[in-house]
Amino acid sequence: MANGASNPDVDAFFAKPGKWREAFQRLRAILLDCGLEEGLKWEHPCYMAEGKNVVLIHGFKDYCAVLFPKGALLKDPANVLVQQTANVQAARQIRFTSIGEIAARETLLKAYVREAAEAETSGRTVSFKATAEFSVPEEFRRRMDDDPALRAAFEALTPGRRRAYLLHFSAPKQEKTRAARIENAAPRILAGKGLDD
């Protein structure tokens, strides 16, 4: 692959002081060396092939990472891809805790990037779980049993909106928090709105 060119619109991200600044700059150099186009998406550096998102750079408290939007398609022979949560279907990360770790895995990272670029440009897609396959929290099931209008409104929502609600309701560990989320969202559901509308 030919070297990619840095994008001046992304320079400000890499110039910001912070814990991962040097690591981000090293990741940028590696990704540009893979010949990817550089852009800024969702306020993060994004590297593309033929205009399709291949990999993004992210920073978190304990690690920085490269995120492959279709990482579930990658073979992962080194077993380094991380699924952030059980509900993330397509994206996968490779996490780093130091610049030394990035340097040690450069060849591996480039191989994963090449495979991800090929997956994107070939048009391969991830098979997503249908909304009906997501579990309905018991608290929400009871609430809909008590309120047929809520059930009808929920079933009338688009699959994506239903999925977002189910994930939102299922996330808390405590029953009290799940019930509070359901009560807070009920008026939005009855109004035919999604979680973020």
Side-chain angles (χ1 to χ4, degrees):
M1 287 182 153
N3 285 355
S6 63
N7 181 334
D9 295 340
V10 186
D11 290 342
F13 178 92
F14 293 105
K16 286 189 276 189
K19 179 178 183 177
W20 301 113
R21 183 178 178 184
E22 286 182 51
F24 287 160
Q25 291 171 345
R26 182 69 188 128
L27 288 169
R28 181 188 204 187
I30 292 168
L31 297 174
L32 288 174
D33 194 41
C34 290
L36 300 174
E37 308 152 33
E38 184 178 63
L40 197 62
K41 294 195 179 179
W42 308 286
E43 300 179 16
H44 292 279
C46 181
Y47 297 84
M48 299 157 283
E50 297 177 16
K52 298 179 190 242
N53 303 334
V54 174
V55 63
L56 289 94
I57 295 175
H58 287 270
F60 300 88
K61 181 181 175 187
D62 297 323
Y63 63 89
C64 64
V66 292
L67 176 104
F68 298 97
K70 291 185 182 174
L73 296 176
L74 304 181
K75 293 182 185 98
D76 195 20
N79 198 31
V80 295
L81 293 176
V82 176
Q83 182 178 359
Q84 289 173 275
T85 70
N87 293 319
V88 172
Q89 296 184 63
R92 299 292 186 271
Q93 295 177 331
I94 298 179
R95 296 177 177 177
F96 304 97
T97 56
S98 70
I99 196 163
E101 191 176 8
I102 294 169
R105 290 185 169 178
E106 180 174 346
T107 302
L108 176 77
L109 178 56
K110 285 182 176 181
Y112 278 65
V113 168
R114 281 191 295 274
E115 184 183 356
E118 187 279 323
E120 286 292 345
T121 58
S122 72
R124 290 173 50 205
T125 58
V126 175
S127 296
F128 289 101
K129 221 168 43 166
T131 300
E133 295 178 62
F134 283 85
S135 64
V136 177
E138 186 56 35
E139 299 83 1
F140 189 47
R141 188 180 316 277
R142 284 193 308 262
R143 180 69 168 80
M144 288 191 297
D145 288 345
D146 293 342
D147 186 348
L150 180 63
R151 178 180 300 282
F154 181 73
E155 290 173 357
L157 294 173
T158 63
R161 286 179 172 153
R162 289 194 311 264
R163 187 170 44 249
Y165 277 119
L166 292 176
L167 294 173
H168 179 65
F169 297 157
S170 299
K173 292 182 177 161
Q174 294 186 10
E175 180 180 345
K176 181 172 100 174
T177 308
R178 289 191 300 272
R181 284 189 176 188
I182 292 163
E183 285 309 311
N184 287 337
R188 298 185 67 73
I189 294 170
L190 289 165
K193 295 183 177 182
L195 185 63
D196 298 317
D197 290 349

